[in-house]
Structure formats: C-alpha cells, structure tokens
PDB file of all heavy atoms in Angstrom:
ATOM      1  N   LEU A   1     -62.819   5.591 154.525  1.00 95.00           N
ATOM      2  CA  LEU A   1     -62.604   4.548 155.548  1.00 95.00           C
ATOM      3  C   LEU A   1     -61.768   3.414 154.998  1.00 95.00           C
ATOM      4  O   LEU A   1     -61.913   3.077 153.827  1.00 95.00           O
ATOM      5  CB  LEU A   1     -63.959   4.080 156.017  1.00 95.00           C
ATOM      6  CG  LEU A   1     -64.919   5.059 156.599  1.00 95.00           C
ATOM      7  CD1 LEU A   1     -66.173   4.312 157.048  1.00 95.00           C
ATOM      8  CD2 LEU A   1     -64.357   5.784 157.791  1.00 95.00           C
ATOM      9  N   ALA A   2     -60.986   2.816 155.828  1.00 95.00           N
ATOM     10  CA  ALA A   2     -60.189   1.643 155.455  1.00 95.00           C
ATOM     11  C   ALA A   2     -60.564   0.553 156.522  1.00 95.00           C
ATOM     12  O   ALA A   2     -60.487   0.765 157.757  1.00 95.00           O
ATOM     13  CB  ALA A   2     -58.729   1.872 155.461  1.00 95.00           C
ATOM     14  N   LEU A   3     -61.017  -0.542 156.004  1.00 97.00           N
ATOM     15  CA  LEU A   3     -61.506  -1.693 156.913  1.00 97.00           C
ATOM     16  C   LEU A   3     -60.829  -2.920 156.471  1.00 97.00           C
ATOM     17  O   LEU A   3     -60.667  -3.276 155.303  1.00 97.00           O
ATOM     18  CB  LEU A   3     -63.052  -1.804 156.746  1.00 97.00           C
ATOM     19  CG  LEU A   3     -63.851  -0.547 156.828  1.00 97.00           C
ATOM     20  CD1 LEU A   3     -65.257  -0.829 156.337  1.00 97.00           C
ATOM     21  CD2 LEU A   3     -63.837  -0.050 158.284  1.00 97.00           C
ATOM     22  N   PRO A   4     -60.397  -3.709 157.546  1.00 97.00           N
ATOM     23  CA  PRO A   4     -59.674  -4.959 157.216  1.00 97.00           C
ATOM     24  C   PRO A   4     -60.683  -6.117 156.870  1.00 97.00           C
ATOM     25  O   PRO A   4     -61.808  -6.108 157.332  1.00 97.00           O
ATOM     26  CB  PRO A   4     -59.104  -5.274 158.633  1.00 97.00           C
ATOM     27  CG  PRO A   4     -60.004  -4.656 159.600  1.00 97.00           C
ATOM     28  CD  PRO A   4     -60.501  -3.354 158.967  1.00 97.00           C
ATOM     29  N   LYS A   5     -60.216  -6.911 155.924  1.00 97.00           N
ATOM     30  CA  LYS A   5     -60.926  -8.126 155.596  1.00 97.00           C
ATOM     31  C   LYS A   5     -60.418  -9.212 156.477  1.00 97.00           C
ATOM     32  O   LYS A   5     -59.302  -9.268 156.925  1.00 97.00           O
ATOM     33  CB  LYS A   5     -60.665  -8.518 154.088  1.00 97.00           C
ATOM     34  CG  LYS A   5     -61.304  -7.606 153.166  1.00 97.00           C
ATOM     35  CD  LYS A   5     -61.053  -8.145 151.669  1.00 97.00           C
ATOM     36  CE  LYS A   5     -61.617  -7.206 150.708  1.00 97.00           C
ATOM     37  NZ  LYS A   5     -61.334  -7.717 149.275  1.00 97.00           N
ATOM     38  N   VAL A   6     -61.333 -10.094 156.842  1.00 98.00           N
ATOM     39  CA  VAL A   6     -60.923 -11.267 157.653  1.00 98.00           C
ATOM     40  C   VAL A   6     -60.689 -12.563 156.835  1.00 98.00           C
ATOM     41  O   VAL A   6     -61.187 -12.593 155.604  1.00 98.00           O
ATOM     42  CB  VAL A   6     -61.900 -11.557 158.826  1.00 98.00           C
ATOM     43  CG1 VAL A   6     -61.960 -10.432 159.775  1.00 98.00           C
ATOM     44  CG2 VAL A   6     -63.337 -11.895 158.125  1.00 98.00           C
ATOM     45  N   TYR A   7     -59.958 -13.549 157.277  1.00 98.00           N
ATOM     46  CA  TYR A   7     -59.776 -14.745 156.610  1.00 98.00           C
ATOM     47  C   TYR A   7     -60.397 -15.907 157.336  1.00 98.00           C
ATOM     48  O   TYR A   7     -59.736 -16.427 158.298  1.00 98.00           O
ATOM     49  CB  TYR A   7     -58.197 -14.884 156.330  1.00 98.00           C
ATOM     50  CG  TYR A   7     -57.622 -13.808 155.522  1.00 98.00           C
ATOM     51  CD1 TYR A   7     -57.288 -12.604 156.171  1.00 98.00           C
ATOM     52  CD2 TYR A   7     -57.524 -14.046 154.171  1.00 98.00           C
ATOM     53  CE1 TYR A   7     -56.719 -11.657 155.333  1.00 98.00           C
ATOM     54  CE2 TYR A   7     -57.015 -12.979 153.446  1.00 98.00           C
ATOM     55  CZ  TYR A   7     -56.618 -11.807 153.939  1.00 98.00           C
ATOM     56  OH  TYR A   7     -56.147 -10.724 153.164  1.00 98.00           O
ATOM     57  N   PRO A   8     -61.654 -16.208 157.074  1.00 97.00           N
ATOM     58  CA  PRO A   8     -62.427 -17.179 157.846  1.00 97.00           C
ATOM     59  C   PRO A   8     -61.737 -18.487 157.974  1.00 97.00           C
ATOM     60  O   PRO A   8     -61.876 -19.320 159.023  1.00 97.00           O
ATOM     61  CB  PRO A   8     -63.700 -17.336 157.186  1.00 97.00           C
ATOM     62  CG  PRO A   8     -63.884 -15.970 156.317  1.00 97.00           C
ATOM     63  CD  PRO A   8     -62.501 -15.696 155.927  1.00 97.00           C
ATOM     64  N   GLU A   9     -60.986 -18.937 156.964  1.00 97.00           N
ATOM     65  CA  GLU A   9     -60.337 -20.300 156.966  1.00 97.00           C
ATOM     66  C   GLU A   9     -59.303 -20.482 158.043  1.00 97.00           C
ATOM     67  O   GLU A   9     -58.930 -21.475 158.455  1.00 97.00           O
ATOM     68  CB  GLU A   9     -59.695 -20.596 155.669  1.00 97.00           C
ATOM     69  CG  GLU A   9     -58.615 -19.673 155.211  1.00 97.00           C
ATOM     70  CD  GLU A   9     -59.064 -18.483 154.376  1.00 97.00           C
ATOM     71  OE1 GLU A   9     -60.117 -17.997 154.679  1.00 97.00           O
ATOM     72  OE2 GLU A   9     -58.306 -18.003 153.498  1.00 97.00           O
ATOM     73  N   TRP A  10     -58.831 -19.298 158.579  1.00 97.00           N
ATOM     74  CA  TRP A  10     -57.816 -19.347 159.620  1.00 97.00           C
ATOM     75  C   TRP A  10     -58.389 -18.770 160.972  1.00 97.00           C
ATOM     76  O   TRP A  10     -57.501 -18.549 161.899  1.00 97.00           O
ATOM     77  CB  TRP A  10     -56.526 -18.581 159.250  1.00 97.00           C
ATOM     78  CG  TRP A  10     -55.989 -19.030 157.917  1.00 97.00           C
ATOM     79  CD1 TRP A  10     -55.730 -18.279 156.810  1.00 97.00           C
ATOM     80  CD2 TRP A  10     -55.616 -20.406 157.527  1.00 97.00           C
ATOM     81  NE1 TRP A  10     -55.208 -19.024 155.771  1.00 97.00           N
ATOM     82  CE2 TRP A  10     -55.160 -20.333 156.254  1.00 97.00           C
ATOM     83  CE3 TRP A  10     -55.636 -21.616 158.276  1.00 97.00           C
ATOM     84  CZ2 TRP A  10     -54.624 -21.453 155.538  1.00 97.00           C
ATOM     85  CZ3 TRP A  10     -55.144 -22.783 157.516  1.00 97.00           C
ATOM     86  CH2 TRP A  10     -54.671 -22.650 156.284  1.00 97.00           C
ATOM     87  N   CYS A  11     -59.612 -18.606 161.046  1.00 98.00           N
ATOM     88  CA  CYS A  11     -60.219 -18.024 162.315  1.00 98.00           C
ATOM     89  C   CYS A  11     -60.855 -19.104 163.160  1.00 98.00           C
ATOM     90  O   CYS A  11     -61.464 -20.108 162.615  1.00 98.00           O
ATOM     91  CB  CYS A  11     -61.267 -16.984 161.965  1.00 98.00           C
ATOM     92  SG  CYS A  11     -60.640 -15.504 161.183  1.00 98.00           S
ATOM     93  N   THR A  12     -60.622 -19.028 164.475  1.00 97.00           N
ATOM     94  CA  THR A  12     -61.349 -19.967 165.418  1.00 97.00           C
ATOM     95  C   THR A  12     -61.802 -19.095 166.545  1.00 97.00           C
ATOM     96  O   THR A  12     -61.753 -17.886 166.531  1.00 97.00           O
ATOM     97  CB  THR A  12     -60.332 -20.983 165.946  1.00 97.00           C
ATOM     98  OG1 THR A  12     -59.421 -20.344 166.879  1.00 97.00           O
ATOM     99  CG2 THR A  12     -59.468 -21.674 164.836  1.00 97.00           C
ATOM    100  N   GLN A  13     -62.360 -19.778 167.548  1.00 96.00           N
ATOM    101  CA  GLN A  13     -62.858 -19.060 168.694  1.00 96.00           C
ATOM    102  C   GLN A  13     -61.806 -18.326 169.412  1.00 96.00           C
ATOM    103  O   GLN A  13     -62.072 -17.245 170.069  1.00 96.00           O
ATOM    104  CB  GLN A  13     -63.537 -20.003 169.735  1.00 96.00           C
ATOM    105  CG  GLN A  13     -64.240 -19.301 170.885  1.00 96.00           C
ATOM    106  CD  GLN A  13     -64.930 -20.179 171.757  1.00 96.00           C
ATOM    107  OE1 GLN A  13     -65.006 -21.341 171.562  1.00 96.00           O
ATOM    108  NE2 GLN A  13     -65.419 -19.629 172.940  1.00 96.00           N
ATOM    109  N   LYS A  14     -60.478 -18.678 169.268  1.00 96.00           N
ATOM    110  CA  LYS A  14     -59.445 -18.120 169.967  1.00 96.00           C
ATOM    111  C   LYS A  14     -58.428 -17.411 169.060  1.00 96.00           C
ATOM    112  O   LYS A  14     -57.337 -16.836 169.545  1.00 96.00           O
ATOM    113  CB  LYS A  14     -58.692 -19.082 170.905  1.00 96.00           C
ATOM    114  CG  LYS A  14     -59.589 -19.705 171.929  1.00 96.00           C
ATOM    115  CD  LYS A  14     -58.865 -20.704 172.818  1.00 96.00           C
ATOM    116  CE  LYS A  14     -59.750 -21.348 173.825  1.00 96.00           C
ATOM    117  NZ  LYS A  14     -59.019 -22.349 174.735  1.00 96.00           N
ATOM    118  N   VAL A  15     -58.544 -17.446 167.769  1.00 98.00           N
ATOM    119  CA  VAL A  15     -57.662 -16.958 166.755  1.00 98.00           C
ATOM    120  C   VAL A  15     -58.424 -16.096 165.682  1.00 98.00           C
ATOM    121  O   VAL A  15     -59.453 -16.630 165.199  1.00 98.00           O
ATOM    122  CB  VAL A  15     -56.841 -17.984 166.074  1.00 98.00           C
ATOM    123  CG1 VAL A  15     -55.877 -17.428 165.065  1.00 98.00           C
ATOM    124  CG2 VAL A  15     -55.968 -18.750 167.088  1.00 98.00           C
ATOM    125  N   LEU A  16     -57.988 -14.896 165.425  1.00 98.00           N
ATOM    126  CA  LEU A  16     -58.565 -14.093 164.368  1.00 98.00           C
ATOM    127  C   LEU A  16     -57.459 -13.556 163.440  1.00 98.00           C
ATOM    128  O   LEU A  16     -56.562 -12.998 163.874  1.00 98.00           O
ATOM    129  CB  LEU A  16     -59.297 -12.929 165.032  1.00 98.00           C
ATOM    130  CG  LEU A  16     -60.106 -11.974 164.038  1.00 98.00           C
ATOM    131  CD1 LEU A  16     -61.321 -12.760 163.457  1.00 98.00           C
ATOM    132  CD2 LEU A  16     -60.621 -10.794 164.852  1.00 98.00           C
ATOM    133  N   VAL A  17     -57.622 -13.839 162.090  1.00 98.00           N
ATOM    134  CA  VAL A  17     -56.658 -13.421 161.162  1.00 98.00           C
ATOM    135  C   VAL A  17     -57.342 -12.390 160.214  1.00 98.00           C
ATOM    136  O   VAL A  17     -58.416 -12.727 159.619  1.00 98.00           O
ATOM    137  CB  VAL A  17     -56.073 -14.581 160.327  1.00 98.00           C
ATOM    138  CG1 VAL A  17     -55.020 -14.087 159.295  1.00 98.00           C
ATOM    139  CG2 VAL A  17     -55.507 -15.577 161.265  1.00 98.00           C
ATOM    140  N   MET A  18     -56.742 -11.226 160.166  1.00 98.00           N
ATOM    141  CA  MET A  18     -57.343 -10.123 159.240  1.00 98.00           C
ATOM    142  C   MET A  18     -56.163  -9.413 158.662  1.00 98.00           C
ATOM    143  O   MET A  18     -55.070  -9.505 159.009  1.00 98.00           O
ATOM    144  CB  MET A  18     -58.246  -9.229 160.035  1.00 98.00           C
ATOM    145  CG  MET A  18     -57.574  -8.383 161.255  1.00 98.00           C
ATOM    146  SD  MET A  18     -58.650  -7.283 161.996  1.00 98.00           S
ATOM    147  CE  MET A  18     -59.885  -8.442 162.711  1.00 98.00           C
ATOM    148  N   ASP A  19     -56.569  -8.474 157.667  1.00 98.00           N
ATOM    149  CA  ASP A  19     -55.573  -7.685 156.916  1.00 98.00           C
ATOM    150  C   ASP A  19     -54.811  -6.822 157.920  1.00 98.00           C
ATOM    151  O   ASP A  19     -55.337  -6.235 158.929  1.00 98.00           O
ATOM    152  CB  ASP A  19     -56.231  -6.844 155.914  1.00 98.00           C
ATOM    153  CG  ASP A  19     -56.688  -7.518 154.712  1.00 98.00           C
ATOM    154  OD1 ASP A  19     -56.117  -8.609 154.318  1.00 98.00           O
ATOM    155  OD2 ASP A  19     -57.689  -7.009 154.062  1.00 98.00           O
ATOM    156  N   TYR A  20     -53.483  -6.648 157.587  1.00 97.00           N
ATOM    157  CA  TYR A  20     -52.693  -5.684 158.346  1.00 97.00           C
ATOM    158  C   TYR A  20     -53.036  -4.308 157.869  1.00 97.00           C
ATOM    159  O   TYR A  20     -53.135  -4.086 156.630  1.00 97.00           O
ATOM    160  CB  TYR A  20     -51.305  -5.928 158.215  1.00 97.00           C
ATOM    161  CG  TYR A  20     -50.338  -4.819 158.720  1.00 97.00           C
ATOM    162  CD1 TYR A  20     -50.193  -4.593 160.112  1.00 97.00           C
ATOM    163  CD2 TYR A  20     -49.748  -3.915 157.905  1.00 97.00           C
ATOM    164  CE1 TYR A  20     -49.438  -3.532 160.591  1.00 97.00           C
ATOM    165  CE2 TYR A  20     -48.960  -2.857 158.356  1.00 97.00           C
ATOM    166  CZ  TYR A  20     -48.772  -2.686 159.670  1.00 97.00           C
ATOM    167  OH  TYR A  20     -48.063  -1.599 160.135  1.00 97.00           O
ATOM    168  N   MET A  21     -53.348  -3.310 158.694  1.00 95.00           N
ATOM    169  CA  MET A  21     -53.714  -1.952 158.371  1.00 95.00           C
ATOM    170  C   MET A  21     -52.712  -0.987 158.962  1.00 95.00           C
ATOM    171  O   MET A  21     -52.578  -0.906 160.110  1.00 95.00           O
ATOM    172  CB  MET A  21     -55.103  -1.650 158.916  1.00 95.00           C
ATOM    173  CG  MET A  21     -56.192  -2.695 158.503  1.00 95.00           C
ATOM    174  SD  MET A  21     -56.525  -2.757 156.734  1.00 95.00           S
ATOM    175  CE  MET A  21     -57.347  -1.310 156.421  1.00 95.00           C
ATOM    176  N   ALA A  22     -51.987  -0.325 158.029  1.00 92.00           N
ATOM    177  CA  ALA A  22     -50.865   0.595 158.444  1.00 92.00           C
ATOM    178  C   ALA A  22     -51.576   1.916 158.869  1.00 92.00           C
ATOM    179  O   ALA A  22     -52.329   2.511 158.143  1.00 92.00           O
ATOM    180  CB  ALA A  22     -49.903   0.767 157.292  1.00 92.00           C
ATOM    181  N   GLY A  23     -51.086   2.395 160.014  1.00 93.00           N
ATOM    182  CA  GLY A  23     -51.628   3.650 160.485  1.00 93.00           C
ATOM    183  C   GLY A  23     -51.183   3.966 161.919  1.00 93.00           C
ATOM    184  O   GLY A  23     -50.566   3.093 162.586  1.00 93.00           O
ATOM    185  N   GLU A  24     -51.688   5.086 162.500  1.00 92.00           N
ATOM    186  CA  GLU A  24     -51.404   5.380 163.830  1.00 92.00           C
ATOM    187  C   GLU A  24     -52.727   5.648 164.627  1.00 92.00           C
ATOM    188  O   GLU A  24     -53.750   6.026 164.007  1.00 92.00           O
ATOM    189  CB  GLU A  24     -50.637   6.765 163.901  1.00 92.00           C
ATOM    190  CG  GLU A  24     -49.221   6.721 163.513  1.00 92.00           C
ATOM    191  CD  GLU A  24     -48.480   8.030 163.757  1.00 92.00           C
ATOM    192  OE1 GLU A  24     -47.949   8.199 164.866  1.00 92.00           O
ATOM    193  OE2 GLU A  24     -48.439   8.901 162.831  1.00 92.00           O
ATOM    194  N   SER A  25     -52.758   5.332 165.858  1.00 91.00           N
ATOM    195  CA  SER A  25     -53.886   5.558 166.667  1.00 91.00           C
ATOM    196  C   SER A  25     -54.284   7.119 166.587  1.00 91.00           C
ATOM    197  O   SER A  25     -53.500   7.899 166.391  1.00 91.00           O
ATOM    198  CB  SER A  25     -53.609   5.213 168.132  1.00 91.00           C
ATOM    199  OG  SER A  25     -54.577   5.844 169.032  1.00 91.00           O
ATOM    200  N   LEU A  26     -55.543   7.345 166.645  1.00 92.00           N
ATOM    201  CA  LEU A  26     -56.114   8.727 166.653  1.00 92.00           C
ATOM    202  C   LEU A  26     -55.446   9.522 167.804  1.00 92.00           C
ATOM    203  O   LEU A  26     -55.541  10.810 167.765  1.00 92.00           O
ATOM    204  CB  LEU A  26     -57.609   8.867 166.651  1.00 92.00           C
ATOM    205  CG  LEU A  26     -58.377   8.525 165.411  1.00 92.00           C
ATOM    206  CD1 LEU A  26     -59.791   8.822 165.558  1.00 92.00           C
ATOM    207  CD2 LEU A  26     -57.723   9.301 164.245  1.00 92.00           C
TER     208      LEU A  26
END
C-alpha cells in the first residue's frame, strides 16, 4: 500500500495539503 502523508501546518477547514501520489485509477 502507498498512503499520502498530510501537512497539518497548511491544512484548514477548506484546504488540505498532502503528498502527491503517482498512479492511475483502478
């Protein structure tokens, strides 16, 4: 499994920042 980490210092109720994960939809 590959799971993105989030960056809490840049997250708000309307913004979410997490790792870019390269891949294709199933």
Side-chain angles (χ1 to χ4, degrees):
L1 302 180
L3 308 171
K5 291 182 180 179
V6 295
Y7 296 85
E9 63 270 34
W10 306 123
C11 295
T12 73
Q13 185 175 353
K14 298 180 181 180
V15 177
L16 184 67
V17 180
M18 62 176 63
D19 286 336
Y20 169 73
M21 309 296 287
E24 289 185 87
S25 163
L26 283 189

